[in-house]
């Protein structure tokens, strides 16, 4: 019994190439049409961004998924094309044993490098926007202190050059509130006097570790008013579950009034403070003087 070799096709038939290109174009248009932020499906399971910087993070997330989907479609298409085109058609047929395809090898060597470069450049661009956009000067700075096991929010030089603060002490104010003005850029300086914590609000689309001795920071520009929940995303000890806080995004007038109210209530110091004296205890008792005036450097 003799064996026969099938004829080798130099390239895809013209009709097959057209169908493949149309299919890829359709997938690309479908993926691009999902680049919105109104529904969870369009956001690809990401929270709805409430800051200008969050929109950039969301675009990076969506773009990465679209690029991955298109890459997958191309790879799957080539796999199924090879399975169908070069399948064995008879018992006495030996498939062509191709040693190499130079254009294809150049493609799958160069294209991944290009993808990595593109992903890297877009990631750095978004990182610069979130961490320290040189084109946007912060309107105010808030020193965020994470301590076992609560939060302190300091507003340096807020009223009459004094530092205004709100601190969670586990007693009078177990869950503190961070107040931010809408439409203004706020820079967060993150500090910790004890262990590693992690400051995050889902609507900001960013969270960052607070490391003792490390001056971490990022900035946000809220675009919608509302109340949001935040928490510590790092297991920081036995009472980690107490590391909760609220975020109120208000008008600039309400923000200024809040700072004045805190000042009038006596919650001000010369330097940022590190939290309430009951922050490290399991059960707290009422105390009018529940603040440790310790500089957070």
């Amino acid at each position: 019994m003799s064996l026969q070799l099938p004829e080798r096709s130099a390239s895809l038939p013209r009709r097959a190439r057209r169908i493949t290109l149309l299919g890829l174009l359709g997938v690309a248009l479908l993926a691009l049409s999902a680049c919105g932020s109104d529904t969870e499906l369009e956001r690809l399971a990401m929270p709805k961004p409430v800051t200008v910087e969050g929109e950039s993070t969301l675009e990076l997330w969506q773009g990465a998924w679209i690029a991955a989907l298109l890459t997958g479609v191309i790879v799957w298409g080539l796999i199924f094309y090879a399975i169908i085109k070069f399948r064995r058609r008879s018992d006495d047929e030996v498939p062509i044993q191709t040693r190499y395809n130079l254009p294809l090898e150049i493609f799958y060597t160069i294209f991944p490098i290009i993808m990595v470069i593109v992903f890297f450049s877009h990631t750095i661009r978004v990182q610069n926007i979130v961490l320290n956009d040189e084109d946007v000067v912060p309107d105010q700075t808030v020193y965020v202190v994470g301590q076992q096991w609560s939060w302190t929010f300091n507003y340096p030089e807020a009223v009459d050059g004094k530092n205004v603060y709100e601190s969670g002490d586990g007693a009078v104010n177990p869950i503190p509130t961070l107040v931010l003005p809408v439409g203004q850029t706020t820079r967060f300086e993150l500090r910790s006097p004890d262990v590693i914590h992690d400051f995050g609000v889902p609507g900001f689309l960013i969270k960052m570790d607070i490391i003792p001795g490390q001056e971490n920071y990022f900035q946000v520009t809220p675009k919608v008013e509302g109340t949001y929940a935040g928490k510590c995303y790092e297991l920081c000890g036995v009472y980690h579950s107490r590391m909760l806080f609220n975020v109120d995004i208000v008008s600039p007038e309400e923000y200024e009034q809040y700072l004045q109210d805190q000042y009038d209530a006596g919650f001000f110091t010369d330097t940022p403070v590190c939290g309430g004296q009951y922050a490290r205890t399991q059960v707290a008792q009422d105390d009018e003087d529940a603040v440790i005036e310790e500089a957070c450097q």
Side-chain angles (χ1 to χ4, degrees):
M1 179 178 65
S2 62
L3 300 177
Q4 61 181 9
L5 296 175
E7 295 183 0
R8 181 175 181 178
S9 175
S11 61
L12 286 172
R14 182 177 300 177
R15 184 177 180 182
R17 288 201 304 269
R18 289 178 179 176
I19 294 175
T20 302
L21 291 176
L22 288 175
L24 293 176
L25 180 61
V27 172
L29 293 176
L30 179 63
L32 292 175
S33 67
C35 287
S37 60
D38 294 332
T39 66
E40 188 173 0
L41 178 61
E42 292 175 336
R43 298 192 301 270
L44 301 174
M46 286 286 275
K48 185 177 180 63
V50 299
T51 65
V52 175
E53 293 77 11
E55 288 285 359
S56 298
T57 304
L58 178 61
E59 291 173 0
L60 178 64
W61 171 260
Q62 292 172 320
W65 272 100
I66 291 172
L69 178 61
L70 293 177
T71 302
V73 169
I74 293 174
V75 173
W76 297 331
L78 291 174
I79 290 174
F80 286 111
Y81 167 76
I83 292 174
I84 296 172
K85 177 65 178 179
F86 302 107
R87 69 186 186 278
R88 186 172 183 174
R89 291 177 172 81
S90 62
D91 293 338
D92 60 350
E93 179 182 354
V94 177
I96 294 177
Q97 306 300 306
T98 304
R99 291 182 301 172
Y100 62 89
N101 184 311
L102 186 58
L104 187 60
E105 290 192 4
I106 293 176
F107 172 78
Y108 66 60
T109 300
I110 300 299
F111 189 71
I113 297 176
I114 296 175
M115 289 187 63
V116 170
I117 294 174
V118 171
F119 277 133
F120 180 79
S121 63
H122 282 286
T123 301
I124 293 298
R125 177 184 61 84
V126 174
Q127 176 180 284
N128 291 338
I129 291 175
V130 173
L131 295 185
N132 188 19
D133 191 346
E134 296 180 354
D135 297 329
V136 179
V137 179
D139 297 288
Q140 58 270 322
T141 299
V142 176
Y143 278 74
V144 177
V145 180
Q147 74 273 347
Q148 294 176 315
W149 286 271
S150 192
W151 299 92
T152 301
F153 304 117
N154 297 275
Y155 306 83
E157 301 182 1
V159 179
D160 294 338
K162 297 293 186 178
N163 172 76
V164 174
Y165 66 89
E166 179 168 341
S167 177
D169 54 37
V172 181
N173 187 19
I175 301 180
T177 298
L178 170 65
V179 180
L180 301 175
V182 68
Q184 297 184 12
T185 300
T186 300
R187 177 185 173 96
F188 294 122
E189 293 285 350
L190 308 179
R191 303 291 187 269
S192 172
D194 40 53
V195 300
I196 297 177
H197 302 278
D198 193 297
F199 175 75
V201 180
F204 290 175
L205 269 63
I206 180 176
K207 58 185 182 69
M208 184 173 290
D209 280 350
I210 306 179
I211 304 173
Q214 176 69 39
E215 298 181 357
N216 287 349
Y217 58 86
F218 68 92
Q219 64 189 34
V220 298
T221 307
K223 59 180 183 177
V224 291
E225 296 184 22
T227 300
Y228 307 91
K231 63 180 180 179
C232 176
Y233 285 83
E234 182 79 25
L235 183 59
C236 56
V238 65
Y239 301 120
H240 164 70
S241 60
R242 292 170 53 182
M243 298 285 294
L244 305 174
F245 63 93
N246 296 318
V247 179
D248 283 347
I249 299 177
V250 300
S251 65
E253 295 77 16
E254 292 176 300
Y255 174 72
E256 294 297 331
Q257 185 60 50
Y258 163 77
L259 295 179
Q260 186 63 50
D261 292 343
Q262 291 294 105
Y263 180 84
D264 294 340
F267 295 104
F268 66 88
T269 56
D270 293 329
T271 58
V273 298
C274 282
Q277 65 182 12
Y278 294 121
R280 294 176 174 82
T281 61
Q282 179 181 4
V283 180
Q285 303 295 326
D286 291 339
D287 194 319
E288 294 180 357
D289 185 19
V291 175
I292 299 176
E293 295 187 8
E294 177 185 352
C296 299
Q297 302 297 336

